[in-house]
Amino acid sequence: MNARTTGGHREPLAWIGLAGVGPDDAPAARTWQRRLHWPMVAIALLSLPAYILDSSDLSAGWHRVATAIDAVVFAAFALELVWMIRLTRAPFRYLAGNWLNIVVLLGTGASLFGTASEAIALVRVARVAIAGLIFVRAVAELRVLFTRRGAPLLVGAAFLSILVAGALFYAFDPKIHTYWDGMWLAFITGATVGYGDLVPTTGPTRVVAVFVVLAGWALLSLFTANIVAMFVGREESELRVELHREIVSLRADIGRLLDAEEIRLRAEMHTEMRALRGDIARLAAVLDARANAADTPGARPPV
């Protein structure tokens, strides 16, 4: 993923380490970037449950699950990095434009090999933020969400987000006693209402709350864009129908004018042809009379 340039300046995504590969890079690199895009988004989002499990007060088994997730994330990012460096035409520019992948690898590797410090905790939080950035970049490519057809997808995404966040609140916050309370907390958090009857009280659930708020803002923004697209699309459809009617009417007027002009031209042509035939008949009569006069001695030829 080389750092692309626009007008002599590096692309903004290169500054945050998500440049990808440029349009002028090797075709194989561009193809594999498209193939790996969504799998890497899913793997990056695994950082969220890994962080929640590792920072919770659950049993050691759950911490081993978090370690296993870290291993999967590390292996996936390492394999993608090595494979894309092999395919790209500019490996150094790829590394410069996608330095965030290296940060993910360093943080995940340090966590796997037992380096425990505040820096590792910060790297884990950064990995969750990275997953969010990658997810936002992926959602931006789903242009259907900004059309009228995207409304059902948005409703489904909102409902699924509430279900998942509610389960996380219920599982990791001792103050949430039922799953329904967890769903209610997810809803008021995502809607940024904040009634105050329920609040996240543990570190993992506060991290969940951050992402629920971000998801709520994103979904509300998409709903707004969807409503605007609906009204704009309806107005555009009405304009197209009106334009089509005007074109049909104009074609009918042109057809009537052409028919009237054709009738007039035909009438004039018939009149001129009749006059021409009369002239030819008179000329023929004169020629016949002259021929007869030439054959008769002493006769005067007709004028």
Side-chain angles (χ1 to χ4, degrees), residues 41-85:
V41 169
I43 292 172
L45 290 175
L46 290 176
S47 300
L48 179 59
Y51 176 81
I52 293 173
L53 291 173
D54 195 50
S55 58
S56 64
D57 297 328
L58 299 176
S59 62
W62 287 108
H63 290 277
R64 287 193 291 269
V65 171
T67 303
I69 295 176
D70 281 337
V72 170
V73 174
F74 178 82
F77 273 83
L79 290 174
E80 187 212 21
L81 183 65
V82 172
W83 183 244
M84 294 304 298
I85 288 177

Side-chain angles (χ1 to χ4, degrees), residues 50 54 63-78 104-116 120 123-124 127:
D54 195 50
H63 290 277
R64 287 193 291 269
V65 171
T67 303
I69 295 176
D70 281 337
V72 170
V73 174
F74 178 82
F77 273 83
V104 172
L105 286 173
L106 293 176
T108 311
S111 176
L112 284 174
F113 293 110
T115 303
I120 296 302
V123 170
R124 288 190 172 184
R127 279 171 39 212

Side-chain angles (χ1 to χ4, degrees), residues 262-281:
E262 184 177 0
I263 293 174
R264 186 183 65 81
L265 289 175
R266 287 181 179 179
E268 292 180 354
M269 186 179 297
H270 286 302
T271 302
E272 291 178 357
M273 289 181 65
R274 285 195 298 268
L276 181 60
R277 287 174 182 172
D279 294 339
I280 293 174

Side-chain angles (χ1 to χ4, degrees), residues 232-267:
V232 172
R234 181 180 301 174
E235 183 179 356
E236 184 179 356
S237 299
E238 293 176 354
L239 289 175
R240 287 183 177 178
V241 171
E242 184 178 356
L243 181 60
H244 181 264
R245 290 175 181 173
E246 292 180 357
I247 291 174
V248 171
S249 177
L250 182 59
R251 286 178 176 174
D253 293 339
I254 293 175
R256 287 192 295 270
L257 289 174
L258 290 176
D259 292 340
E261 183 67 16
E262 184 177 0
I263 293 174
R264 186 183 65 81
L265 289 175
R266 287 181 179 179

